[in-house]
Amino acid sequence: MTPLLHPYDVTREEGFRAPLDYNRKSLLKDVDRCHKAEIVSVIRLTRKERLFHIRLLEQGERERFSFLPGQFVMLELPGFGEIPISICGSTSQKGFLELCIREAGRVTTMLHRARVGSRVGIRGPFGSFFPLERMKGHDILLVAGGLGLAPLRAPIMHITENRSDYGEVRILYGTTEPEQLLFDYQYEQWRRVDGVTLSLTVDRPDAGWQGAVGNVVRLLEEINTPLEESYAIVCGPPVMFNSVCGTLHSRGIPRDRMFVSLERRMQCGMGKCCRCNVGSTYVCMDGPVFDFWTVMNLKEAI
Amino acid sequence: MLFRIVEKMAFRSLIQLLLETTQVIGPRKIAVTREGKPVHQYLPLSGFEELELGYDTTDIPAKSYFLPYEENLSTWSFIGNDWTQEITYRLQPRVLVGLHACDINALLKLDKVMTREFFPSPYYISRRKNSFIIGIDHEPCQGGFCHWLGTDSVNRGFDLFLTDLGDRYFVAIDSERGFTLLQQVAVRLVTENDTADYLTVRRRIASGFAPPLDVRQLPRLLDMEFDSEIWRRWGAKCLSCGSCAAVCPTCYCYGVSENVSMDFTRGAKVKQLYSCTLKDFAEVAGGHNFRSARETRLKYRYYHQHRGFVEQYDEPKCVGCGRCGRSCLAGINPQEIIGDLLATEVPS
Ligand SMILES: Cc1cc2nc3c(=O)[nH]c(=O)nc-3n(C[C@H](O)[C@H](O)[C@H](O)COP(=O)(O)OP(=O)(O)OC[C@H]3O[C@@H](n4cnc5c(N)ncnc54)[C@H](O)[C@@H]3O)c2cc1C
Ligand code: SF4
Ligand code: SF4
Ligand code: FES
C-alpha cells in the first residue's frame, strides 16, 4: 500500500550537506555539528587560567574558518558540555584558535585536565565583533579588567598586526593581584610596538610589585592628552563598565564609540535557547559586543 | 485557499485510513476532574473513537510534538581518545488532528524563530514538515483570551482546517498534500447553503467572547512599568516552578546537558525545555545570577511575550490560550497582569 503521506528528509534540502560554515547563518544546516579540533598545546597563564591552542583537523574547514575580533565559539567537550569562549588569538591564524580559559565549573575543570592531543569540538564563530574597520585612523583605548584581557587580546593582536591603520594605542589593564595578570610574557612585545603603550595596575600589590595600585579608572585619569577622537573597547566584569565608561564619557568620548563585551549564560549561540537574553536582546546574536549607548538602553544589562 | 465539504462519516473514514499507516495524534480524554470536567491531552490514537474533537482545551500544548520536552541533539561514540558525532532527524510523517486556532498560531510563531533568517533548526523543521495538521474551529474555551491577541482564527500553518456544521465539516485546505489526501474520501464543493451555515457558526463563536482588552500599548507600557510595583506584587506570589513556560505553546527556551554511558563508549548531548522563571535560568559560572529575584524572572517572561517578540516579529509571542494561568498554583494569570499593566479591569 502506498503511504498516504510522504516522509520528509531535512538532510536532502539544498545545501544541507554543503561544508559547515557558521558565518553563513541563514542556511539550513546541521547546526549542532561541530568542527573536530585538537588541543595542540596548553600554556599555563595563572593558577586559574590556561591558554589552549586548538587546531581544526579538517583541511577544508581550516581554510574556511574565519572570525572577527570579539566573536566567540562554542567549545564542545563531548559527553561533558559545551561552553562559549571568546577567541583570543589573531585573525590571521587560519584554522588555529587560541582560547584563554578560566577554571570555573564542570566543563572548564575537565578541560584544564585535558591533555595535549585531546579532541574537542568547535562550533562557530558566533556573535558580533569590535568594529575595527570603523576605528581606522583613530586613537584607541583598550581597557581590561581581570579575565577581560582574553576577549581584548584579539583586537590587540589585530591592531598591532595592522599598526599603520590606527593612531595612538593605549592598553590599560588591571587585576586584583599581580599573580592574576594574564599573558604577562607578552607585555614586553606589545610595549615595544611603536605607538603602543601598556599600563598595568593591581588592587592588592605584593612585595615585588612596582607598578600602579588601584583600579583601571585610576590609569584612565592619568592620561592627559585629549581623548575626544578616540574609540574605546572595555572588557571585564560588569561592575567595571559603569565606572570606566562614565570616565571615558566625561573625557569626551561619545557612548556609541565605546564597546563592551557582555557575558551571559549560553547554550546554543544561535538565538534559540533564550538563555543569553538581556531584556529582549540575544547576546549571542546581537552581541556579545555592544556599544555602550545600546547597553544603556537594554533593560537589566549590567 | 480551497474549500470543500466533507460529511462526518467520510471524515471518520479518512482518519481510519490514516491510522492504518501513520501515527495519528489528537485530543483524547485522559481523566475527569473532581468537578466532572473531562481532561484532554494530545496523544497518539489507536482508533477513531478515542478522538474527542469537541474538547474544550488541553493542559499541555501540542508543542511537545515539535519541541519535545527532552531530545537528543547529538550522540557521541568514543573510540580511544577520538569520537564521532551522530545526529538524526525525524523522518516519519504523522498527523495531528484537532488543533485549535491558538495552537496553530503558536506554531506559526515558533516557525518564525525556528525556520527563518538565522540558524534554521533542522530538528524543528523535520518535525514540522513531517506533521500533517488538521485544525478545528471551536466555541471559546474557558480562560482563553486569544481574541485579545488576534489568534482566535488562523489562515495558514495547517493542511486542513475544519468547521463543524452539524452533520458535515466545512474544510479549508492549505496544502497540496491536504487536497490530495481529501481525495481518498467523498468530498463535494461548497454550496451557498454551506457558506451561510459556516458564517452563522463563525458569528456564534465570535459572540461567545467577552469584550477584549487592547494590548497594542503593551510593548511601550512594559518599558514604562519596568520598575513597577506590579511586578513586586505578582512576583511575591510566584513559586518559580516553571510550569507556566512548560505549558506555554510558544515558550521554547532550553538547557543542554551531556552524559556518558557507564562503559565510556557512548555519550549524548541532550536538550531539555527550560523555563525563564526557574531560579538558575540566567546564572553563570562563579554563581552570579543576572535575575536572582523571582519578580525579575516573572517580569522577564512577560517581557519576552509582549515586548521582545513584538520588537522582533511585530506581533506578541503569546496566543492567549490561558494555559499558563490555568496551570499556575499561585494563581498568577496573564489576563490580570495585562489588566494591571493597562490599569484596566478585565471584562468577564
Ligand atoms: C561570549 C562569552 C565569551 C566567554 N569567553 C570566555 C573566555 O574567553 N574565557 C573564559 O574562561 N570564559 C569565558 N566565558 C565564560 C565561560 O563560558 C564560562 O566560564 C563557562 O561556560 C563555565 O562553564 P563550566 O561548565 O565550567 O561552569 P558551570 O558553572 O559548571 O556551568 C555549567 C553550564 O552553565 C553554562 N554557563 C555557566 N557559566 C556561564 C557563562 N559565564 N557564560 C555562559 N554559559 C555559562 C554553560 O553552559 C556550562 O556548561 C565566556 C562567556 C561568554 C558568554
Ligand atoms: S506557574 Fe505560576 S508560580 Fe510557577 S513559575 Fe509560572 S507564574 Fe510562577
Ligand atoms: S503566555 Fe500563557 S496564555 Fe500566552 S500563549 Fe503562553 S500559555 Fe498561553
Ligand atoms: S545562547 Fe542560546 S539564544 Fe543566545
Side-chain angles (χ1 to χ4, degrees):
Chain A
M1 190 169 137
T2 54
L4 295 176
L5 297 172
H6 297 285
Y8 164 80
D9 183 353
V10 68
T11 66
R12 296 176 68 173
E13 288 284 351
E14 196 188 336
F16 195 87
R17 292 290 187 211
L20 261 188
D21 182 351
Y22 282 91
N23 285 322
R24 303 174 68 193
K25 50 184 156 197
S26 62
L27 291 186
L28 171 56
K29 306 241 354 117
D30 249 3
V31 284
D32 198 50
R33 191 167 299 285
C34 39
H35 301 295
K36 191 178 282 190
E38 186 173 283
I39 301 180
V40 286
S41 90
V42 182
I43 298 162
R44 202 164 28 78
L45 298 178
T46 69
R47 216 157 32 82
K48 285 266 174 211
E49 285 101 6
R50 286 172 196 221
L51 179 66
F52 293 82
H53 285 177
I54 289 171
R55 195 167 56 107
L56 303 188
L57 286 177
E58 215 249 297
Q59 169 90 27
E61 291 177 353
R62 234 179 358 246
E63 274 155 25
R64 270 187 308 277
F65 189 93
S66 70
F67 74 97
L68 291 164
Q71 289 195 294
F72 66 95
V73 291
M74 294 298 282
L75 173 62
E76 171 77 54
L77 243 66
F80 287 93
E82 197 186 30
I83 56 170
I85 298 291
S86 306
I87 307 172
C88 73
S90 158
T91 44
S92 57
Q93 299 162 324
K94 270 285 170 196
F96 172 84
L97 290 123
E98 290 187 277
L99 306 177
C100 163
I101 300 173
R102 168 177 290 179
E103 188 174 340
R106 191 175 136 86
V107 180
T108 48
T109 303
M110 200 56 210
L111 204 67
H112 274 236
R113 283 195 215 142
R115 270 188 233 125
V116 166
S118 303
R119 303 250 158 124
V120 296
I122 295 283
R123 287 193 307 123
F126 295 117
S128 60
F129 42 86
F130 300 110
L132 291 164
E133 276 298 309
R134 226 197 308 157
M135 297 182 179
K136 278 186 179 168
H138 291 268
D139 290 351
I140 298 187
L141 268 165
L142 301 155
V143 188
L147 188 54
L149 191 63
L152 204 68
R153 189 165 167 266
I156 293 177
M157 304 275 267
H158 183 90
I159 290 166
T160 50
E161 285 172 19
N162 299 275
R163 183 66 203 91
S164 60
D165 289 340
Y166 302 93
E168 290 288 307
V169 177
R170 291 191 187 81
I171 307 169
L172 314 177
Y173 178 39
T175 56
T176 310
E177 290 165 13
E179 64 172 33
Q180 293 168 340
L181 289 165
L182 296 171
F183 300 107
D184 51 356
Y185 58 94
Q186 295 203 308
Y187 300 162
E188 195 50 33
Q189 193 186 343
W190 293 339
R191 278 183 171 131
R192 287 189 185 210
V193 180
D194 204 28
V196 176
T197 56
L198 167 69
S199 322
L200 303 170
T201 182
V202 299
D203 292 331
R204 287 203 293 267
D206 58 15
W209 182 250
Q210 293 176 345
V213 176
N215 67 29
V216 279
V217 176
R218 283 272 308 277
L219 295 180
L220 264 180
E221 285 163 355
E222 281 165 17
I223 299 175
N224 44 28
T225 51
L227 295 178
E228 295 93 71
E229 290 306 311
S230 304
Y231 273 87
I233 298 179
V234 183
C235 295
V239 286
M240 221 183 90
F241 295 154
N242 278 331
S243 57
V244 171
C245 293
T247 310
L248 291 172
H249 187 252
S250 70
R251 297 289 303 266
I253 305 184
R255 292 188 183 87
D256 56 8
R257 274 203 261 139
M258 314 170 188
F259 296 86
V260 302
S261 179
L262 295 189
E263 188 176 318
R264 283 296 183 280
R265 194 178 177 116
M266 292 186 180
Q267 305 267 235
C268 71
M270 304 185 292
K272 299 287 181 278
C273 74
C274 291
R275 300 303 284 272
C276 68
N277 280 197
V278 176
S280 45
T281 300
Y282 291 91
V283 175
C284 67
M285 302 277 304
D286 303 325
V289 174
F290 294 97
D291 69 65
F292 198 65
W293 171 244
T294 304
V295 171
M296 272 181 68
N297 280 277
L298 295 177
K299 302 279 179 192
E300 58 174 30
I302 305 181
Chain B
M1 198 180 295
L2 297 176
F3 305 96
R4 291 291 184 274
I5 297 294
V6 57
E7 301 295 325
K8 283 195 171 167
M9 283 309 289
F11 181 72
R12 181 198 175 100
S13 314
L14 185 68
I15 297 295
Q16 280 168 335
L17 208 58
L18 283 166
L19 275 165
E20 284 172 24
T21 53
T22 319
Q23 186 182 48
V24 181
I25 291 150
R28 235 174 67 186
K29 186 160 84 184
I30 51 159
V32 180
T33 63
R34 235 176 288 155
E35 295 81 41
K37 210 176 153 262
V39 178
H40 289 93
Q41 198 174 328
Y42 300 113
L43 288 172
L45 306 172
S46 51
F48 181 82
E49 309 67 44
E50 286 178 346
L51 179 63
E52 298 201 356
L53 287 176
Y55 74 111
D56 182 48
T57 181
T58 62
D59 292 337
I60 296 170
K63 87 168 165 191
S64 57
Y65 294 103
F66 302 90
L67 298 173
Y69 287 103
E70 186 167 295
E71 87 178 292
N72 241 12
L73 294 178
S74 288
T75 309
W76 313 106
S77 307
F78 302 108
I79 318 119
N81 78 338
D82 204 1
W83 45 264
T84 53
Q85 180 180 22
E86 292 138 53
I87 304 177
T88 53
Y89 302 108
R90 187 178 177 87
L91 274 174
Q92 306 80 37
R94 67 177 158 209
V95 178
L96 275 95
V97 54
L99 299 199
H100 288 165
C102 65
D103 281 341
I104 296 172
N105 275 306
L107 289 176
L108 288 172
K109 290 179 198 277
L110 288 178
D111 287 350
K112 297 202 162 157
V113 182
M114 300 295 161
T115 71
R116 304 275 174 85
E117 302 143 59
F118 53 86
F119 301 114
S121 163
Y123 301 92
Y124 177 87
I125 292 172
S126 60
R127 291 201 179 83
R128 182 73 162 106
K129 294 212 172 172
N130 274 312
S131 299
F132 185 94
I133 292 174
I134 308 177
I136 189 163
D137 256 337
H138 66 115
E139 305 297 321
C141 72
Q142 269 182 32
F145 56 106
C146 50
H147 60 305
W148 298 11
L149 297 145
T151 50
D152 50 330
S153 63
V154 65
N155 292 315
R156 291 181 301 114
F158 53 80
D159 292 283
L160 304 174
F161 197 89
L162 315 174
T163 304
D164 190 338
L165 303 184
D167 53 352
R168 63 202 191 282
Y169 289 116
F170 179 94
V171 190
I173 305 163
D174 196 36
S175 72
E176 196 279 335
R177 62 181 183 176
F179 188 79
T180 305
L181 185 73
L182 267 191
Q183 307 305 310
Q184 297 288 329
V185 295
V187 288
R188 63 171 175 79
L189 295 174
V190 177
T191 64
E192 268 177 40
N193 192 19
D194 298 320
T195 305
D197 286 355
Y198 171 78
L199 291 173
T200 309
V201 170
R202 284 298 314 169
R203 267 197 306 274
R204 191 187 67 224
I205 292 173
S207 67
F209 288 110
L213 291 191
D214 182 358
V215 297
R216 286 170 303 178
Q217 282 289 316
L218 275 182
R220 181 176 299 192
L221 282 170
L222 280 162
D223 264 2
M224 287 163 56
E225 300 288 348
F226 196 77
D227 298 312
S228 161
E229 59 81 36
I230 294 173
W231 298 118
R232 281 189 291 284
R233 189 153 39 80
W234 287 103
K237 297 184 183 197
C238 178
L239 309 166
S240 303
C241 67
S243 310
C244 45
V247 300
C248 176
T250 64
C251 276
Y252 54 87
C253 76
Y254 65 88
V256 174
S257 63
E258 303 208 15
N259 59 59
V260 180
S261 68
M262 292 292 277
D263 60 2
F264 296 102
T265 58
R266 296 183 71 70
K269 183 175 173 192
V270 185
K271 159 183 169 182
Q272 289 109 352
L273 291 192
Y274 216 71
S275 170
C276 54
T277 55
L278 293 173
K279 183 147 180 34
D280 65 350
F281 185 83
E283 192 177 279
V284 295
H288 184 70
N289 191 334
F290 288 95
R291 284 184 219 111
S292 58
R294 52 196 163 147
E295 73 192 50
T296 60
R297 297 192 294 274
L298 182 69
K299 172 168 69 184
Y300 167 76
R301 183 156 184 277
Y302 280 84
Y303 214 76
H304 192 193
Q305 298 285 4
H306 295 285
R307 181 188 179 281
F309 206 82
V310 185
E311 194 174 81
Q312 265 182 309
Y313 301 110
D314 288 319
E315 58 182 89
K317 174 168 161 291
C318 172
V319 294
C321 69
R323 286 188 178 96
C324 57
R326 278 189 294 263
S327 74
C328 180
L329 294 172
I332 298 172
N333 73 75
Q335 295 97 313
E336 282 185 66
I337 290 188
I338 294 172
D340 280 0
L341 286 165
L342 299 174
T344 327
E345 286 289 311
V346 180
S348 56

